[in-house]
């Protein structure tokens, strides 16, 4: 149902007309054919809802159509259609669901009446992971923009409606074409490769510290995109590999967690110290799991900068995650292991995403 349909349905209800779908739909179609030609010129944007605080309390109370109906201004920006993908808090997202979402977006863009852009509403908790996986898997250069909220619709100052309106503005903007998957909150536009949730409650929680900050912003009704991300990669896996674990070294880590993870994981992302440092006992554990054939990627736990592999790590066939943080490095493996298990090819993917 699009926004015009939502408001027409409300208008029909006010007039005391029946709200039966078939009757309403024909009234809507009839009225739409006389609707302003300006509206027909607007880009078509699909809003796909997955749940999250933007839709309710975390379990996703509002549907995509409900979310859209709450923002009348949307009808001046785009012709909106909606669909519900899921209604979950994003802490319940899984690689399989994320992959299914990516396939759905590719399907929408491949259809004869493909929208000009797609907005995905999502929880903030795993937004940085889902948006990056989609950045790796979406084949179209049409805009895909994530919208989320830190405050639910029940709050008088919820940030959801503004963030959704802004996301639709970005998705409808020709500037967003070829910019990869974008994330829009708090008036800023971030590249999926770089964005991180950095605060549990602040409205200004999403940052791209290592990517040089946001790629753009929304100024009133104007979308301003200053640069497009160059460090991108598109993969086409048939299936994704969810059995990728993320571990962080701490002072005193003795390697037992690494050995335990190797019992079930196909790959381990290890956030090591600084530029690539670790106690000898850790390198011994890594050597053992590599002998079992488990893929190991090192990233830095500093959340900034690049990892440089030692001679021993290189000899053991460890992969450098370059400057991706642990969460993003894991998502790259989730997608890439559906394409190859060759450490050299996997290393080349990380290097491509590091701009090398
Ligand atoms: N629990 C929520 C989620 O689905 C938090 C949020 O959306 O801000 O991620």
């Amino acid at each position: 149902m699009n926004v015009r349909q939502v408001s027409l349905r409300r208008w029909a209800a006010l007039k005391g007309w029946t709200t039966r779908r078939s009757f309403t739909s024909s009234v809507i179609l009839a009225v739409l054919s006389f609707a302003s030609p300006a509206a027909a010129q607007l880009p078509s944007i699909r809003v796909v809802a997955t749940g999250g605080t933007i839709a309710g309390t975390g379990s996703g109370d509002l549907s995509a159509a409900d979310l859209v109906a709450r923002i009348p201004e949307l009808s001046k920006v785009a012709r909106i259609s909606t669909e519900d993908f899921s209604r979950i808090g994003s802490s319940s997202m899984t690689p399989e669901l994320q992959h299914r979402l990516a396939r759905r977006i590719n399907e929408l863009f491949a259809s004869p009446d493909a929208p000009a852009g797609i907005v995905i509403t999502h929880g903030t908790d795993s937004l940085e992971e889902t948006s990056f996986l989609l950045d790796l898997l979406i084949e179209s250069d049409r805009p895909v923009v994530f919208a989320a909220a830190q405050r639910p619709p029940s709050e008088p100052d919820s940030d959801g409606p503004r963030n959704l309106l802004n996301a639709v503005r970005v998705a409808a903007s020709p500037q967003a074409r070829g910019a990869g998957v974008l994330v829009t909150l708090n008036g800023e536009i971030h590249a999926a490769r770089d964005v991180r949730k950095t605060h549990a409650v602040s409205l200004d929680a999403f940052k791209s510290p290592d990517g040089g900050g946001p790629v753009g912003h929304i100024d009133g009704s104007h979308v301003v995109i200053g640069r497009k991300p160059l460090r991108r990669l598109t993969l086409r896996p048939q299936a994704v590999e969810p059995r990728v674990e993320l571990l962080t070294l701490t002072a005193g880590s003795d390697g037992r967690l690494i050995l335990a993870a190797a019992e079930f994981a196909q790959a381990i992302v290890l956030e090591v110290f600084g530029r690539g440092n670790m106690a000898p006992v850790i390198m011994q554990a890594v050597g053992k799991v590599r002998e079992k054939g488990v893929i190991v990627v090192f990233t830095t736990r500093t959340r900034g900068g690049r990892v440089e592999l030692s001679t021993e790590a290189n000899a053991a066939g460890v992969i450098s995650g370059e400057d991706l943080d642990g969460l993003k490095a894991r998502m790259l493996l989730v997608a890439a292991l559906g394409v190859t298990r060759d450490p050299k090819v996997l290393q080349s993917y990380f290097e491509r995403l590091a701009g090398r």
Side-chain angles (χ1 to χ4, degrees):
M1 187 160 48
N2 67 31
V3 110
R4 184 168 297 276
Q5 288 169 335
V6 169
S7 44
L8 280 169
R9 188 166 286 188
R10 242 194 232 140
W11 177 66
L14 276 175
K15 292 260 176 212
W17 292 10
T18 177
T19 52
R20 268 184 26 242
R21 179 176 287 271
S22 55
F23 178 76
T24 315
S25 303
S26 27
V27 170
I28 287 164
L29 281 177
V31 177
L32 271 182
S33 53
F34 294 104
S36 83
Q41 305 295 318
L42 292 174
S44 63
I45 300 295
R46 182 76 146 198
V47 174
V48 179
T50 68
T53 293
I54 191 167
T57 53
S59 55
D61 300 331
L62 300 178
S63 67
D66 294 334
L67 288 169
V68 166
R70 294 159 69 99
I71 315 172
E73 295 92 326
L74 280 172
S75 62
K76 294 186 200 123
V77 181
R79 287 177 292 126
I80 311 273
S81 60
T82 60
E83 72 180 64
D84 295 300
F85 175 81
S86 60
R87 290 198 192 185
I88 55 170
S90 71
S91 50
S92 298
M93 266 292 162
T94 63
E96 290 91 344
L97 267 178
Q98 291 161 324
H99 185 213
R100 209 190 307 153
L101 178 62
R103 282 200 309 238
R104 176 64 188 145
I105 304 303
N106 279 333
E107 188 179 273
L108 283 169
F109 280 138
S111 68
D113 55 348
I118 294 178
V119 168
I120 302 171
T121 59
H122 195 283
T124 58
D125 287 342
S126 63
L127 181 52
E128 60 207 277
E129 290 160 84
T130 306
S131 59
F132 183 49
L133 190 75
L134 263 61
D135 194 51
L136 295 168
L137 302 182
I138 301 298
E139 292 170 21
S140 170
D141 70 349
R142 295 183 188 212
V144 176
V145 186
F146 277 78
Q150 290 279 70
R151 295 182 186 151
S154 53
E155 297 282 332
D157 54 355
S158 169
D159 49 334
R162 168 67 56 189
N163 290 344
L164 178 52
L165 175 59
N166 280 344
V168 171
R169 284 185 172 130
V170 176
S173 165
Q175 286 188 73
R177 229 182 151 118
V181 172
L182 300 171
V183 173
T184 308
L185 279 98
N186 201 36
E188 293 182 342
I189 307 166
H190 292 266
R193 182 211 178 278
D194 298 315
V195 75
R196 255 180 225 164
K197 181 175 179 178
T198 65
H199 198 280
V201 291
S202 165
L203 299 189
D204 190 23
F206 282 78
K207 309 271 184 200
S208 301
D210 247 15
V215 296
H217 60 275
I218 300 103
D219 176 357
S221 61
H222 301 291
V223 172
V224 181
I225 296 183
R227 56 204 167 81
K228 291 192 178 168
L230 293 175
R231 301 187 295 176
R232 299 199 52 226
L233 170 73
T234 306
L235 299 171
R236 293 183 176 84
Q238 284 305 308
V240 291
E241 174 54 81
R243 293 167 298 171
V244 183
E245 284 306 314
L246 171 60
L247 300 175
T248 304
L249 290 186
T250 57
S253 293
D254 60 10
R256 279 181 292 175
L257 266 183
I258 297 170
L259 298 177
E263 295 298 318
F264 53 89
Q266 298 293 301
I268 298 170
V269 175
L270 189 60
E271 292 187 327
V272 302
F273 292 101
R275 184 90 157 126
N277 305 318
M278 70 210 66
V281 69
I282 298 296
M283 199 53 233
Q284 283 160 18
V286 168
K288 281 191 189 142
V289 305
R290 282 294 303 134
E291 276 164 23
K292 284 179 70 174
V294 176
I295 304 277
V296 179
V297 171
F298 286 173
T299 62
T300 174
R301 64 172 222 163
T302 58
R303 317 217 91 205
R306 236 186 101 240
V307 156
E308 188 78 35
L309 295 181
S310 66
T311 315
E312 287 159 294
N314 266 317
V318 171
I319 295 162
S320 165
E322 300 287 329
D323 66 343
L324 283 185
D325 68 26
L327 290 173
K328 305 278 187 195
R330 175 176 178 270
M331 287 327 284
L332 174 54
L333 283 180
V334 162
L337 291 177
V339 176
T340 181
R341 301 216 164 207
D342 180 340
K344 285 205 171 60
V345 179
L346 292 169
Q347 181 66 71
S348 73
Y349 292 164
F350 281 97
E351 286 172 11
R352 182 108 65 89
L353 276 162
R356 300 214 295 134

